[in-house]
C-alpha cells in the first residue's frame, strides 16, 4: 500500500498477475463462498484505477521504475474496464512477453513505440519495430521478445 500511496506503482500494476494462482503485491482475495462475477471484477478494477490515483487529471507514469514483471515483461496497467484492457510493456534483451502457446479469448493489438524485436503470432514470426501495430485474433498464440540491447516498448490493447 505504501508503494501505491507514494506513486511507485498504480494499483492496477500492483494487482497484475499472469494467472489467478500468482501472488501480487496487491492481491484481491475473496472468501471461498463468494462468487466472483464480472461485475465484482469491474468494481475492483474501477477501485484500483480511480480510488488510489491521487492525480487530477489521473496520470500513470510509464517507465521501468513504475513497472512490475508480469507475463515475462515489465508491465504497467493502464486502464481496465468491462470489455477493455490496456497496459504498457517494456522488454529487455532476453525477456519474453508470454510463452509459446499463451492465448487470450479476446481481440488484442500491440502498438510498438520504441525499439525492435520479434513477435510470433500464431505460426508466423515477424520482425517488429517502433511505429508498427499488430492485431492478435482471439485464442491465437502470441509471444514477443527482443534480442537488441535497446528495450522494446509497446502498448497492449484488448
Amino acid at each position: 500500500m505504501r508503494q501505491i500511496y507514494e506513486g511507485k506503482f498504480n494499483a492496477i500494476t500492483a494487482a497484475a498477475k499472469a494467472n489467478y494462482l500468482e501472488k501480487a503485491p496487491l492481491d484481491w482475495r475473496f472468501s471461498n463462498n463468494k462468487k466472483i462475477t464480472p461485475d465484482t471484477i469491474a468494481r475492483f478494477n474501477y477501485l484500483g484505477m480511480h480510488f488510489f490515483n491521487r492525480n487530477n487529471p489521473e496520470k500513470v507514469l510509464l517507465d521501468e521504475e513504475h513497472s512490475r514483471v508480469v507475463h515475462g515483461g515489465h508491465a504497467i496497467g493502464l486502464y481496465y474496464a468491462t470489455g477493455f484492457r490496456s497496459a504498457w510493456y517494456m522488454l529487455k534483451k532476453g525477456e519474453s512477453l508470454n510463452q509459446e502457446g499463451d492465448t487470450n479469448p479476446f481481440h488484442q493489438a500491440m502498438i510498438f513505440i520504441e525499439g525492435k524485436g520479434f513477435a510470433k503470432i500464431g505460426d508466423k514470426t515477424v520482425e517488429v519495430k517502433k511505429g508498427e501495430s499488430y492485431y492478435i485474433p482471439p485464442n491465437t498464440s502470441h509471444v514477443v521478445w527482443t534480442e537488441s540491447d535497446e528495450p522494446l516498448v509497446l502498448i497492449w490493447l484488448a
Side-chain angles (χ1 to χ4, degrees), residues 104-112 119-122 124 126 128 132-144 155-158:
N104 296 100
F106 39 75
H107 301 270
Q108 300 171 81
M110 293 186 182
I111 305 164
F112 295 92
K120 184 173 183 191
I121 302 169
K124 298 199 186 238
V126 293
V128 299
E132 296 179 343
S133 177
Y134 290 85
Y135 169 71
I136 303 158
N139 304 308
T140 301
S141 177
H142 54 286
V143 182
V144 178
I155 301 293
W156 172 78
L157 303 172

Side-chain angles (χ1 to χ4, degrees), residues 53-69:
N53 194 326
R54 301 179 334 172
N55 298 297
N56 186 11
E58 293 178 12
K59 170 176 72 174
V60 177
L61 301 173
L62 305 177
D63 59 31
E64 183 178 3
E65 177 185 352
H66 296 92
S67 70
R68 286 185 47 244
V69 175

Side-chain angles (χ1 to χ4, degrees), residues 25-105:
L26 182 60
D27 216 352
W28 309 116
R29 296 284 180 196
F30 299 95
S31 66
N32 289 337
N33 60 355
K34 172 69 176 163
K35 183 177 180 189
I36 301 172
T37 66
D39 184 58
T40 303
I41 293 169
R43 289 172 189 260
F44 273 90
N45 284 338
Y46 185 87
L47 174 73
M49 287 180 301
H50 303 293
F51 179 78
F52 294 107
N53 194 326
R54 301 179 334 172
N55 298 297
N56 186 11
E58 293 178 12
K59 170 176 72 174
V60 177
L61 301 173
L62 305 177
D63 59 31
E64 183 178 3
E65 177 185 352
H66 296 92
S67 70
R68 286 185 47 244
V69 175
V70 180
H71 292 285
H74 301 267
I76 297 173
L78 297 176
Y79 193 80
Y80 276 58
T82 302
F84 181 73
R85 299 177 184 184
S86 59
W88 175 93
Y89 277 95
M90 180 185 72
L91 302 170
K92 293 181 176 181
K93 185 176 187 174
E95 294 178 335
S96 171
L97 177 57
N98 293 336
Q99 296 177 7
E100 185 68 35
D102 283 353
T103 65
N104 296 100

Side-chain angles (χ1 to χ4, degrees), residues 114-132:
E114 288 182 34
K116 61 183 178 179
F118 300 91
K120 184 173 183 191
I121 302 169
D123 62 355
K124 298 199 186 238
T125 300
V126 293
E127 221 173 313
V128 299
K129 66 181 186 288
K130 172 185 175 179
E132 296 179 343

